[in-house]
Amino acid sequence: YPLDRAARANEDTMELVQQYLENYYNLAKDTKQFVRRKDSSPVVQKIQEMQKFLGLEVTGKLDSDTLEVIRKPRCGIPDVGFFS
Amino acid sequence: TFPGEPKWKKTHLTYRIVNYTKDLPRDAVDSAIEKALTVWEEVTPLTFSRIYEGEADIMIIFAVREHGDFLPFDGPGKVLAHAYPPGSGFYGDAHFDDDEQWTKDTSGINLFLVAAHELGHSLGLQHSTEREALMYPVYDPRTDLTRFRLSQDDVDGIQFLYGSPPVSPNDPVVPTESVPPEPGTPAACDPALSFDAISTLRGEILFFKGRHFWRKSFRTFEPEFHLISSFWPSLPSRIDAAYEVTSKDTVFIFKGNQFWAIRGNEMQAGYPRGIHTLGLPSTVRKIDAAFSDKEKKKTYFFAEDKYWRFDEKTQSMEPGFPKQIVEDFPGVEPEVDAVFEVFGFYCFFSGSSQFEFDPNAKKVTHVLKSNSWLNC
């Protein structure tokens, strides 16, 4: 585990984003894929998909606007994909 | 829409508030849910009525964490609620995370806004990408509740599934927004105006039409015009029949094979009930009109060209019925929309015509326009 506060916060953010994409944008539930390969094309594609859906600037990066929306309260129904 | 475009195959749906949050008084929760349903009711042919026991189409619960559907809530913040698309069982149900601080205003999480969104899911809408839409997935506390309205995207979505609210030349208003019409709407004097149902209520007369009713008091000249939901939020619109039993200070409201009881502006518990519990045969699917004779303590139910008579003293349907309307009420149209009793006369309504029937003389004494009661 990271020892410094900034690194820990970053880790929490990554976890939040990963859960968000898994829950609402049908990202495959593969923790390693995201934490280790956050610049991989599937993850970037999912971030872009999320940004496009939510009306954000589509950058594929976790900019401050994107993170702000992710932290807002919301409905628990997935935005895309099947609801099961 | 959800994959496969699930939607309700009927237009009259039931809902039940199974439990309550402790954040708000119960009537505030009731009111928020009713208002949220009205949002969708006003732009579709859908109508809703509340039940208090048994399985409703839309079951509404407040819960925390794991609550039996394998989609646990997550404590305060993040996920506020979820709901299921139309279908049987848990489908159509709406769940609210009771770890949120539910409020009437936007100081916490506004229950009306979230309920209106979730009930959109219950009716078959998926999330919208339009930020202004109610169905946008992210909660917006900046919404001005006093000026709330559906976005065009919300309206297009729900009308894709269910179509527009029925409109006829007689409809007093075409409600596309939650704005009640002004009293004295010109449609009251439309020569073709007909009524869905008419009942007395504590010395006044209520003329029901669509989602609205005129309230005619003998103390005032001008009739008042209201939304039914503004007095009785859980009553359906476009009702079939209504009558008052003055000895019980109760008005019974009929729609389809169900009826409700109201006392003043209070809905009575234990309703709706099935019309067949009154002793009507199962072949009767709906009542066209009804009234209760105060003197004789008999209630008359009219369906198609027949009528039945119910004894209020014995609380049973009288033998020897049904009878033909035209036989016992000569001069009245064979099928009626509405009827009520006033000054000892029975006033039958059929389309735009009104037949004043004298039960002692057993004949129609006057034929008037239906809207003559509205000063037209």
mmCIF file with all atom_site columns, all heavy atoms in Angstrom, chain A residues 24 53-55 73-79 82-83, chain B residues 78-81 83 118 126-127 131 136-137 139:
data_model
loop_
_atom_site.group_PDB
_atom_site.id
_atom_site.type_symbol
_atom_site.label_atom_id
_atom_site.label_alt_id
_atom_site.label_comp_id
_atom_site.label_asym_id
_atom_site.label_entity_id
_atom_site.label_seq_id
_atom_site.pdbx_PDB_ins_code
_atom_site.Cartn_x
_atom_site.Cartn_y
_atom_site.Cartn_z
_atom_site.occupancy
_atom_site.B_iso_or_equiv
_atom_site.pdbx_formal_charge
_atom_site.auth_seq_id
_atom_site.auth_comp_id
_atom_site.auth_asym_id
_atom_site.auth_atom_id
_atom_site.pdbx_PDB_model_num
ATOM 1   N N   . TYR A 1 24  ? -21.492 1.211  -14.334 1.00 0.00 ? 24  TYR A N   1
ATOM 2   C CA  . TYR A 1 24  ? -22.391 1.962  -15.222 1.00 0.00 ? 24  TYR A CA  1
ATOM 3   C C   . TYR A 1 24  ? -22.020 1.871  -16.697 1.00 0.00 ? 24  TYR A C   1
ATOM 4   O O   . TYR A 1 24  ? -22.832 2.235  -17.545 1.00 0.00 ? 24  TYR A O   1
ATOM 5   C CB  . TYR A 1 24  ? -22.425 3.435  -14.791 1.00 0.00 ? 24  TYR A CB  1
ATOM 6   C CG  . TYR A 1 24  ? -22.779 3.593  -13.327 1.00 0.00 ? 24  TYR A CG  1
ATOM 7   C CD1 . TYR A 1 24  ? -21.920 4.214  -12.433 1.00 0.00 ? 24  TYR A CD1 1
ATOM 8   C CD2 . TYR A 1 24  ? -23.979 3.079  -12.838 1.00 0.00 ? 24  TYR A CD2 1
ATOM 9   C CE1 . TYR A 1 24  ? -22.240 4.325  -11.088 1.00 0.00 ? 24  TYR A CE1 1
ATOM 10  C CE2 . TYR A 1 24  ? -24.307 3.185  -11.499 1.00 0.00 ? 24  TYR A CE2 1
ATOM 11  C CZ  . TYR A 1 24  ? -23.436 3.807  -10.627 1.00 0.00 ? 24  TYR A CZ  1
ATOM 12  O OH  . TYR A 1 24  ? -23.751 3.912  -9.295  1.00 0.00 ? 24  TYR A OH  1
ATOM 13  N N   . PHE A 1 53  ? -21.353 10.141 -22.902 1.00 0.00 ? 53  PHE A N   1
ATOM 14  C CA  . PHE A 1 53  ? -22.709 9.949  -22.383 1.00 0.00 ? 53  PHE A CA  1
ATOM 15  C C   . PHE A 1 53  ? -23.105 11.071 -21.436 1.00 0.00 ? 53  PHE A C   1
ATOM 16  O O   . PHE A 1 53  ? -24.217 11.588 -21.484 1.00 0.00 ? 53  PHE A O   1
ATOM 17  C CB  . PHE A 1 53  ? -22.809 8.599  -21.655 1.00 0.00 ? 53  PHE A CB  1
ATOM 18  C CG  . PHE A 1 53  ? -24.218 8.222  -21.291 1.00 0.00 ? 53  PHE A CG  1
ATOM 19  C CD1 . PHE A 1 53  ? -24.986 7.437  -22.151 1.00 0.00 ? 53  PHE A CD1 1
ATOM 20  C CD2 . PHE A 1 53  ? -24.796 8.660  -20.114 1.00 0.00 ? 53  PHE A CD2 1
ATOM 21  C CE1 . PHE A 1 53  ? -26.287 7.121  -21.831 1.00 0.00 ? 53  PHE A CE1 1
ATOM 22  C CE2 . PHE A 1 53  ? -26.100 8.343  -19.794 1.00 0.00 ? 53  PHE A CE2 1
ATOM 23  C CZ  . PHE A 1 53  ? -26.851 7.568  -20.651 1.00 0.00 ? 53  PHE A CZ  1
ATOM 24  N N   . LEU A 1 54  ? -22.167 11.458 -20.591 1.00 0.00 ? 54  LEU A N   1
ATOM 25  C CA  . LEU A 1 54  ? -22.490 12.454 -19.571 1.00 0.00 ? 54  LEU A CA  1
ATOM 26  C C   . LEU A 1 54  ? -22.349 13.895 -20.079 1.00 0.00 ? 54  LEU A C   1
ATOM 27  O O   . LEU A 1 54  ? -22.524 14.838 -19.317 1.00 0.00 ? 54  LEU A O   1
ATOM 28  C CB  . LEU A 1 54  ? -21.610 12.247 -18.333 1.00 0.00 ? 54  LEU A CB  1
ATOM 29  C CG  . LEU A 1 54  ? -21.849 10.914 -17.596 1.00 0.00 ? 54  LEU A CG  1
ATOM 30  C CD1 . LEU A 1 54  ? -20.837 10.725 -16.478 1.00 0.00 ? 54  LEU A CD1 1
ATOM 31  C CD2 . LEU A 1 54  ? -23.270 10.847 -17.050 1.00 0.00 ? 54  LEU A CD2 1
ATOM 32  N N   . GLY A 1 55  ? -22.029 14.039 -21.348 1.00 0.00 ? 55  GLY A N   1
ATOM 33  C CA  . GLY A 1 55  ? -21.934 15.374 -21.929 1.00 0.00 ? 55  GLY A CA  1
ATOM 34  C C   . GLY A 1 55  ? -20.672 16.115 -21.535 1.00 0.00 ? 55  GLY A C   1
ATOM 35  O O   . GLY A 1 55  ? -20.649 17.354 -21.520 1.00 0.00 ? 55  GLY A O   1
ATOM 36  N N   . PRO A 1 73  ? -23.664 12.388 -6.512  1.00 0.00 ? 73  PRO A N   1
ATOM 37  C CA  . PRO A 1 73  ? -24.666 11.340 -6.310  1.00 0.00 ? 73  PRO A CA  1
ATOM 38  C C   . PRO A 1 73  ? -25.447 11.085 -7.598  1.00 0.00 ? 73  PRO A C   1
ATOM 39  O O   . PRO A 1 73  ? -25.643 12.007 -8.395  1.00 0.00 ? 73  PRO A O   1
ATOM 40  C CB  . PRO A 1 73  ? -25.562 11.909 -5.210  1.00 0.00 ? 73  PRO A CB  1
ATOM 41  C CG  . PRO A 1 73  ? -25.289 13.373 -5.171  1.00 0.00 ? 73  PRO A CG  1
ATOM 42  C CD  . PRO A 1 73  ? -23.913 13.580 -5.693  1.00 0.00 ? 73  PRO A CD  1
ATOM 43  N N   . ARG A 1 74  ? -25.892 9.874  -7.767  1.00 0.00 ? 74  ARG A N   1
ATOM 44  C CA  . ARG A 1 74  ? -26.547 9.525  -9.015  1.00 0.00 ? 74  ARG A CA  1
ATOM 45  C C   . ARG A 1 74  ? -27.483 8.331  -8.833  1.00 0.00 ? 74  ARG A C   1
ATOM 46  O O   . ARG A 1 74  ? -27.536 7.712  -7.774  1.00 0.00 ? 74  ARG A O   1
ATOM 47  C CB  . ARG A 1 74  ? -25.515 9.202  -10.098 1.00 0.00 ? 74  ARG A CB  1
ATOM 48  C CG  . ARG A 1 74  ? -24.573 8.053  -9.745  1.00 0.00 ? 74  ARG A CG  1
ATOM 49  C CD  . ARG A 1 74  ? -23.908 7.492  -10.972 1.00 0.00 ? 74  ARG A CD  1
ATOM 50  N NE  . ARG A 1 74  ? -24.883 6.752  -11.758 1.00 0.00 ? 74  ARG A NE  1
ATOM 51  C CZ  . ARG A 1 74  ? -24.788 6.558  -13.072 1.00 0.00 ? 74  ARG A CZ  1
ATOM 52  N NH1 . ARG A 1 74  ? -23.789 7.081  -13.760 1.00 0.00 ? 74  ARG A NH1 1
ATOM 53  N NH2 . ARG A 1 74  ? -25.701 5.843  -13.708 1.00 0.00 ? 74  ARG A NH2 1
ATOM 54  N N   . CYS A 1 75  ? -28.181 8.016  -9.924  1.00 0.00 ? 75  CYS A N   1
ATOM 55  C CA  . CYS A 1 75  ? -29.049 6.834  -9.955  1.00 0.00 ? 75  CYS A CA  1
ATOM 56  C C   . CYS A 1 75  ? -28.190 5.589  -10.137 1.00 0.00 ? 75  CYS A C   1
ATOM 57  O O   . CYS A 1 75  ? -27.176 5.625  -10.843 1.00 0.00 ? 75  CYS A O   1
ATOM 58  C CB  . CYS A 1 75  ? -30.037 6.973  -11.111 1.00 0.00 ? 75  CYS A CB  1
ATOM 59  S SG  . CYS A 1 75  ? -31.011 5.501  -11.418 1.00 0.00 ? 75  CYS A SG  1
ATOM 60  N N   . GLY A 1 76  ? -28.603 4.490  -9.535  1.00 0.00 ? 76  GLY A N   1
ATOM 61  C CA  . GLY A 1 76  ? -27.805 3.270  -9.579  1.00 0.00 ? 76  GLY A CA  1
ATOM 62  C C   . GLY A 1 76  ? -27.985 2.416  -10.813 1.00 0.00 ? 76  GLY A C   1
ATOM 63  O O   . GLY A 1 76  ? -27.346 1.377  -10.938 1.00 0.00 ? 76  GLY A O   1
ATOM 64  N N   . ILE A 1 77  ? -28.840 2.831  -11.721 1.00 0.00 ? 77  ILE A N   1
ATOM 65  C CA  . ILE A 1 77  ? -29.046 2.049  -12.953 1.00 0.00 ? 77  ILE A CA  1
ATOM 66  C C   . ILE A 1 77  ? -27.869 2.291  -13.896 1.00 0.00 ? 77  ILE A C   1
ATOM 67  O O   . ILE A 1 77  ? -27.448 3.431  -14.082 1.00 0.00 ? 77  ILE A O   1
ATOM 68  C CB  . ILE A 1 77  ? -30.341 2.492  -13.667 1.00 0.00 ? 77  ILE A CB  1
ATOM 69  C CG1 . ILE A 1 77  ? -31.543 2.391  -12.731 1.00 0.00 ? 77  ILE A CG1 1
ATOM 70  C CG2 . ILE A 1 77  ? -30.581 1.680  -14.927 1.00 0.00 ? 77  ILE A CG2 1
ATOM 71  C CD1 . ILE A 1 77  ? -31.903 1.020  -12.321 1.00 0.00 ? 77  ILE A CD1 1
ATOM 72  N N   . PRO A 1 78  ? -27.311 1.240  -14.500 1.00 0.00 ? 78  PRO A N   1
ATOM 73  C CA  . PRO A 1 78  ? -26.224 1.445  -15.476 1.00 0.00 ? 78  PRO A CA  1
ATOM 74  C C   . PRO A 1 78  ? -26.658 2.358  -16.617 1.00 0.00 ? 78  PRO A C   1
ATOM 75  O O   . PRO A 1 78  ? -27.808 2.318  -17.051 1.00 0.00 ? 78  PRO A O   1
ATOM 76  C CB  . PRO A 1 78  ? -25.932 0.033  -15.990 1.00 0.00 ? 78  PRO A CB  1
ATOM 77  C CG  . PRO A 1 78  ? -26.490 -0.884 -14.957 1.00 0.00 ? 78  PRO A CG  1
ATOM 78  C CD  . PRO A 1 78  ? -27.648 -0.177 -14.339 1.00 0.00 ? 78  PRO A CD  1
ATOM 79  N N   . ASP A 1 79  ? -25.725 3.165  -17.084 1.00 0.00 ? 79  ASP A N   1
ATOM 80  C CA  . ASP A 1 79  ? -26.061 4.070  -18.197 1.00 0.00 ? 79  ASP A CA  1
ATOM 81  C C   . ASP A 1 79  ? -26.120 3.330  -19.526 1.00 0.00 ? 79  ASP A C   1
ATOM 82  O O   . ASP A 1 79  ? -26.851 3.706  -20.426 1.00 0.00 ? 79  ASP A O   1
ATOM 83  C CB  . ASP A 1 79  ? -25.010 5.186  -18.290 1.00 0.00 ? 79  ASP A CB  1
ATOM 84  C CG  . ASP A 1 79  ? -25.037 6.076  -17.057 1.00 0.00 ? 79  ASP A CG  1
ATOM 85  O OD1 . ASP A 1 79  ? -26.095 6.125  -16.397 1.00 0.00 ? 79  ASP A OD1 1
ATOM 86  O OD2 . ASP A 1 79  ? -24.007 6.691  -16.749 1.00 0.00 ? 79  ASP A OD2 1
ATOM 87  N N   . PHE A 1 82  ? -26.638 -3.986 -20.516 1.00 0.00 ? 82  PHE A N   1
ATOM 88  C CA  . PHE A 1 82  ? -27.850 -4.641 -20.022 1.00 0.00 ? 82  PHE A CA  1
ATOM 89  C C   . PHE A 1 82  ? -28.012 -4.430 -18.535 1.00 0.00 ? 82  PHE A C   1
ATOM 90  O O   . PHE A 1 82  ? -27.044 -4.343 -17.794 1.00 0.00 ? 82  PHE A O   1
ATOM 91  C CB  . PHE A 1 82  ? -27.808 -6.133 -20.334 1.00 0.00 ? 82  PHE A CB  1
ATOM 92  C CG  . PHE A 1 82  ? -27.965 -6.412 -21.789 1.00 0.00 ? 82  PHE A CG  1
ATOM 93  C CD1 . PHE A 1 82  ? -26.851 -6.628 -22.591 1.00 0.00 ? 82  PHE A CD1 1
ATOM 94  C CD2 . PHE A 1 82  ? -29.213 -6.420 -22.369 1.00 0.00 ? 82  PHE A CD2 1
ATOM 95  C CE1 . PHE A 1 82  ? -26.997 -6.870 -23.930 1.00 0.00 ? 82  PHE A CE1 1
ATOM 96  C CE2 . PHE A 1 82  ? -29.366 -6.658 -23.717 1.00 0.00 ? 82  PHE A CE2 1
ATOM 97  C CZ  . PHE A 1 82  ? -28.248 -6.878 -24.505 1.00 0.00 ? 82  PHE A CZ  1
ATOM 98  N N   . PHE A 1 83  ? -29.256 -4.371 -18.130 1.00 0.00 ? 83  PHE A N   1
ATOM 99  C CA  . PHE A 1 83  ? -29.578 -4.268 -16.716 1.00 0.00 ? 83  PHE A CA  1
ATOM 100 C C   . PHE A 1 83  ? -30.043 -5.642 -16.278 1.00 0.00 ? 83  PHE A C   1
ATOM 101 O O   . PHE A 1 83  ? -31.022 -6.155 -16.788 1.00 0.00 ? 83  PHE A O   1
ATOM 102 C CB  . PHE A 1 83  ? -30.689 -3.242 -16.519 1.00 0.00 ? 83  PHE A CB  1
ATOM 103 C CG  . PHE A 1 83  ? -31.031 -3.021 -15.082 1.00 0.00 ? 83  PHE A CG  1
ATOM 104 C CD1 . PHE A 1 83  ? -30.170 -2.331 -14.267 1.00 0.00 ? 83  PHE A CD1 1
ATOM 105 C CD2 . PHE A 1 83  ? -32.209 -3.513 -14.553 1.00 0.00 ? 83  PHE A CD2 1
ATOM 106 C CE1 . PHE A 1 83  ? -30.482 -2.119 -12.941 1.00 0.00 ? 83  PHE A CE1 1
ATOM 107 C CE2 . PHE A 1 83  ? -32.525 -3.305 -13.231 1.00 0.00 ? 83  PHE A CE2 1
ATOM 108 C CZ  . PHE A 1 83  ? -31.653 -2.608 -12.424 1.00 0.00 ? 83  PHE A CZ  1
ATOM 109 N N   . LYS B 2 78  ? -23.144 8.817  -3.405  1.00 0.00 ? 78  LYS B N   1
ATOM 110 C CA  . LYS B 2 78  ? -23.027 7.932  -4.577  1.00 0.00 ? 78  LYS B CA  1
ATOM 111 C C   . LYS B 2 78  ? -24.411 7.484  -5.060  1.00 0.00 ? 78  LYS B C   1
ATOM 112 O O   . LYS B 2 78  ? -25.174 8.283  -5.548  1.00 0.00 ? 78  LYS B O   1
ATOM 113 C CB  . LYS B 2 78  ? -22.102 6.756  -4.262  1.00 0.00 ? 78  LYS B CB  1
ATOM 114 C CG  . LYS B 2 78  ? -20.675 7.165  -3.917  1.00 0.00 ? 78  LYS B CG  1
ATOM 115 C CD  . LYS B 2 78  ? -19.833 5.959  -3.632  1.00 0.00 ? 78  LYS B CD  1
ATOM 116 C CE  . LYS B 2 78  ? -18.509 6.365  -2.978  1.00 0.00 ? 78  LYS B CE  1
ATOM 117 N NZ  . LYS B 2 78  ? -17.824 5.224  -2.396  1.00 0.00 ? 78  LYS B NZ  1
ATOM 118 N N   . VAL B 2 79  ? -24.742 6.197  -4.897  1.00 0.00 ? 79  VAL B N   1
ATOM 119 C CA  . VAL B 2 79  ? -26.021 5.722  -5.427  1.00 0.00 ? 79  VAL B CA  1
ATOM 120 C C   . VAL B 2 79  ? -27.165 6.162  -4.518  1.00 0.00 ? 79  VAL B C   1
ATOM 121 O O   . VAL B 2 79  ? -27.149 5.895  -3.317  1.00 0.00 ? 79  VAL B O   1
ATOM 122 C CB  . VAL B 2 79  ? -26.021 4.193  -5.559  1.00 0.00 ? 79  VAL B CB  1
ATOM 123 C CG1 . VAL B 2 79  ? -27.415 3.692  -5.957  1.00 0.00 ? 79  VAL B CG1 1
ATOM 124 C CG2 . VAL B 2 79  ? -25.005 3.760  -6.593  1.00 0.00 ? 79  VAL B CG2 1
ATOM 125 N N   . LEU B 2 80  ? -28.159 6.830  -5.115  1.00 0.00 ? 80  LEU B N   1
ATOM 126 C CA  . LEU B 2 80  ? -29.301 7.336  -4.346  1.00 0.00 ? 80  LEU B CA  1
ATOM 127 C C   . LEU B 2 80  ? -30.491 6.377  -4.389  1.00 0.00 ? 80  LEU B C   1
ATOM 128 O O   . LEU B 2 80  ? -31.236 6.258  -3.420  1.00 0.00 ? 80  LEU B O   1
ATOM 129 C CB  . LEU B 2 80  ? -29.756 8.682  -4.912  1.00 0.00 ? 80  LEU B CB  1
ATOM 130 C CG  . LEU B 2 80  ? -28.699 9.776  -5.016  1.00 0.00 ? 80  LEU B CG  1
ATOM 131 C CD1 . LEU B 2 80  ? -29.299 11.010 -5.666  1.00 0.00 ? 80  LEU B CD1 1
ATOM 132 C CD2 . LEU B 2 80  ? -28.142 10.096 -3.636  1.00 0.00 ? 80  LEU B CD2 1
ATOM 133 N N   . ALA B 2 81  ? -30.637 5.724  -5.519  1.00 0.00 ? 81  ALA B N   1
ATOM 134 C CA  . ALA B 2 81  ? -31.832 4.894  -5.719  1.00 0.00 ? 81  ALA B CA  1
ATOM 135 C C   . ALA B 2 81  ? -31.643 4.064  -6.979  1.00 0.00 ? 81  ALA B C   1
ATOM 136 O O   . ALA B 2 81  ? -30.733 4.339  -7.772  1.00 0.00 ? 81  ALA B O   1
ATOM 137 C CB  . ALA B 2 81  ? -33.066 5.792  -5.868  1.00 0.00 ? 81  ALA B CB  1
ATOM 138 N N   . ALA B 2 83  ? -34.262 1.527  -9.860  1.00 0.00 ? 83  ALA B N   1
ATOM 139 C CA  . ALA B 2 83  ? -35.609 1.031  -10.171 1.00 0.00 ? 83  ALA B CA  1
ATOM 140 C C   . ALA B 2 83  ? -35.513 0.068  -11.341 1.00 0.00 ? 83  ALA B C   1
ATOM 141 O O   . ALA B 2 83  ? -34.542 0.095  -12.106 1.00 0.00 ? 83  ALA B O   1
ATOM 142 C CB  . ALA B 2 83  ? -36.540 2.187  -10.512 1.00 0.00 ? 83  ALA B CB  1
ATOM 143 N N   . GLU B 2 118 ? -36.707 7.841  -10.922 1.00 0.00 ? 118 GLU B N   1
ATOM 144 C CA  . GLU B 2 118 ? -36.795 6.377  -10.771 1.00 0.00 ? 118 GLU B CA  1
ATOM 145 C C   . GLU B 2 118 ? -38.087 5.838  -11.371 1.00 0.00 ? 118 GLU B C   1
ATOM 146 O O   . GLU B 2 118 ? -38.101 4.764  -11.969 1.00 0.00 ? 118 GLU B O   1
ATOM 147 C CB  . GLU B 2 118 ? -36.694 5.986  -9.294  1.00 0.00 ? 118 GLU B CB  1
ATOM 148 C CG  . GLU B 2 118 ? -35.358 6.332  -8.642  1.00 0.00 ? 118 GLU B CG  1
ATOM 149 C CD  . GLU B 2 118 ? -34.162 5.792  -9.385  1.00 0.00 ? 118 GLU B CD  1
ATOM 150 O OE1 . GLU B 2 118 ? -34.269 4.714  -10.015 1.00 0.00 ? 118 GLU B OE1 1
ATOM 151 O OE2 . GLU B 2 118 ? -33.103 6.454  -9.357  1.00 0.00 ? 118 GLU B OE2 1
ATOM 152 N N   . GLN B 2 126 ? -34.765 4.483  -20.023 1.00 0.00 ? 126 GLN B N   1
ATOM 153 C CA  . GLN B 2 126 ? -33.363 4.363  -19.610 1.00 0.00 ? 126 GLN B CA  1
ATOM 154 C C   . GLN B 2 126 ? -32.817 5.783  -19.406 1.00 0.00 ? 126 GLN B C   1
ATOM 155 O O   . GLN B 2 126 ? -33.535 6.767  -19.552 1.00 0.00 ? 126 GLN B O   1
ATOM 156 C CB  . GLN B 2 126 ? -32.570 3.633  -20.698 1.00 0.00 ? 126 GLN B CB  1
ATOM 157 C CG  . GLN B 2 126 ? -31.934 2.317  -20.261 1.00 0.00 ? 126 GLN B CG  1
ATOM 158 C CD  . GLN B 2 126 ? -30.791 2.478  -19.264 1.00 0.00 ? 126 GLN B CD  1
ATOM 159 O OE1 . GLN B 2 126 ? -30.630 3.524  -18.626 1.00 0.00 ? 126 GLN B OE1 1
ATOM 160 N NE2 . GLN B 2 126 ? -30.016 1.424  -19.119 1.00 0.00 ? 126 GLN B NE2 1
ATOM 161 N N   . HIS B 2 127 ? -31.537 5.854  -19.108 1.00 0.00 ? 127 HIS B N   1
ATOM 162 C CA  . HIS B 2 127 ? -30.956 7.166  -18.877 1.00 0.00 ? 127 HIS B CA  1
ATOM 163 C C   . HIS B 2 127 ? -30.837 7.980  -20.155 1.00 0.00 ? 127 HIS B C   1
ATOM 164 O O   . HIS B 2 127 ? -30.658 7.438  -21.239 1.00 0.00 ? 127 HIS B O   1
ATOM 165 C CB  . HIS B 2 127 ? -29.565 7.016  -18.246 1.00 0.00 ? 127 HIS B CB  1
ATOM 166 C CG  . HIS B 2 127 ? -29.652 6.681  -16.790 1.00 0.00 ? 127 HIS B CG  1
ATOM 167 N ND1 . HIS B 2 127 ? -28.707 5.908  -16.146 1.00 0.00 ? 127 HIS B ND1 1
ATOM 168 C CD2 . HIS B 2 127 ? -30.571 6.998  -15.859 1.00 0.00 ? 127 HIS B CD2 1
ATOM 169 C CE1 . HIS B 2 127 ? -29.053 5.790  -14.876 1.00 0.00 ? 127 HIS B CE1 1
ATOM 170 N NE2 . HIS B 2 127 ? -30.190 6.435  -14.675 1.00 0.00 ? 127 HIS B NE2 1
ATOM 171 N N   . ARG B 2 131 ? -28.369 16.726 -20.444 1.00 0.00 ? 131 ARG B N   1
ATOM 172 C CA  . ARG B 2 131 ? -28.171 17.195 -19.070 1.00 0.00 ? 131 ARG B CA  1
ATOM 173 C C   . ARG B 2 131 ? -29.422 17.788 -18.457 1.00 0.00 ? 131 ARG B C   1
ATOM 174 O O   . ARG B 2 131 ? -29.611 17.759 -17.249 1.00 0.00 ? 131 ARG B O   1
ATOM 175 C CB  . ARG B 2 131 ? -27.071 18.257 -19.036 1.00 0.00 ? 131 ARG B CB  1
ATOM 176 C CG  . ARG B 2 131 ? -25.687 17.652 -19.055 1.00 0.00 ? 131 ARG B CG  1
ATOM 177 C CD  . ARG B 2 131 ? -24.706 18.642 -18.513 1.00 0.00 ? 131 ARG B CD  1
ATOM 178 N NE  . ARG B 2 131 ? -23.346 18.260 -18.854 1.00 0.00 ? 131 ARG B NE  1
ATOM 179 C CZ  . ARG B 2 131 ? -22.293 18.677 -18.178 1.00 0.00 ? 131 ARG B CZ  1
ATOM 180 N NH1 . ARG B 2 131 ? -22.433 19.487 -17.158 1.00 0.00 ? 131 ARG B NH1 1
ATOM 181 N NH2 . ARG B 2 131 ? -21.077 18.298 -18.542 1.00 0.00 ? 131 ARG B NH2 1
ATOM 182 N N   . TYR B 2 136 ? -31.479 12.151 -16.928 1.00 0.00 ? 136 TYR B N   1
ATOM 183 C CA  . TYR B 2 136 ? -30.015 12.213 -16.837 1.00 0.00 ? 136 TYR B CA  1
ATOM 184 C C   . TYR B 2 136 ? -29.619 11.524 -15.528 1.00 0.00 ? 136 TYR B C   1
ATOM 185 O O   . TYR B 2 136 ? -30.272 11.740 -14.491 1.00 0.00 ? 136 TYR B O   1
ATOM 186 C CB  . TYR B 2 136 ? -29.573 13.677 -16.838 1.00 0.00 ? 136 TYR B CB  1
ATOM 187 C CG  . TYR B 2 136 ? -28.086 13.906 -16.967 1.00 0.00 ? 136 TYR B CG  1
ATOM 188 C CD1 . TYR B 2 136 ? -27.417 13.634 -18.154 1.00 0.00 ? 136 TYR B CD1 1
ATOM 189 C CD2 . TYR B 2 136 ? -27.348 14.416 -15.895 1.00 0.00 ? 136 TYR B CD2 1
ATOM 190 C CE1 . TYR B 2 136 ? -26.053 13.861 -18.274 1.00 0.00 ? 136 TYR B CE1 1
ATOM 191 C CE2 . TYR B 2 136 ? -25.985 14.646 -16.008 1.00 0.00 ? 136 TYR B CE2 1
ATOM 192 C CZ  . TYR B 2 136 ? -25.341 14.364 -17.203 1.00 0.00 ? 136 TYR B CZ  1
ATOM 193 O OH  . TYR B 2 136 ? -23.990 14.574 -17.321 1.00 0.00 ? 136 TYR B OH  1
ATOM 194 N N   . PRO B 2 137 ? -28.562 10.701 -15.557 1.00 0.00 ? 137 PRO B N   1
ATOM 195 C CA  . PRO B 2 137 ? -28.324 9.844  -14.378 1.00 0.00 ? 137 PRO B CA  1
ATOM 196 C C   . PRO B 2 137 ? -27.783 10.555 -13.147 1.00 0.00 ? 137 PRO B C   1
ATOM 197 O O   . PRO B 2 137 ? -27.854 10.019 -12.036 1.00 0.00 ? 137 PRO B O   1
ATOM 198 C CB  . PRO B 2 137 ? -27.302 8.827  -14.894 1.00 0.00 ? 137 PRO B CB  1
ATOM 199 C CG  . PRO B 2 137 ? -26.647 9.475  -16.058 1.00 0.00 ? 137 PRO B CG  1
ATOM 200 C CD  . PRO B 2 137 ? -27.675 10.354 -16.680 1.00 0.00 ? 137 PRO B CD  1
ATOM 201 N N   . TYR B 2 139 ? -27.588 13.310 -10.219 1.00 0.00 ? 139 TYR B N   1
ATOM 202 C CA  . TYR B 2 139 ? -28.501 14.172 -9.451  1.00 0.00 ? 139 TYR B CA  1
ATOM 203 C C   . TYR B 2 139 ? -28.034 15.623 -9.520  1.00 0.00 ? 139 TYR B C   1
ATOM 204 O O   . TYR B 2 139 ? -26.839 15.900 -9.317  1.00 0.00 ? 139 TYR B O   1
ATOM 205 C CB  . TYR B 2 139 ? -28.530 13.705 -8.000  1.00 0.00 ? 139 TYR B CB  1
ATOM 206 C CG  . TYR B 2 139 ? -29.387 14.556 -7.090  1.00 0.00 ? 139 TYR B CG  1
ATOM 207 C CD1 . TYR B 2 139 ? -30.767 14.467 -7.115  1.00 0.00 ? 139 TYR B CD1 1
ATOM 208 C CD2 . TYR B 2 139 ? -28.801 15.443 -6.195  1.00 0.00 ? 139 TYR B CD2 1
ATOM 209 C CE1 . TYR B 2 139 ? -31.555 15.236 -6.284  1.00 0.00 ? 139 TYR B CE1 1
ATOM 210 C CE2 . TYR B 2 139 ? -29.576 16.223 -5.355  1.00 0.00 ? 139 TYR B CE2 1
ATOM 211 C CZ  . TYR B 2 139 ? -30.954 16.114 -5.408  1.00 0.00 ? 139 TYR B CZ  1
ATOM 212 O OH  . TYR B 2 139 ? -31.715 16.892 -4.579  1.00 0.00 ? 139 TYR B OH  1
#
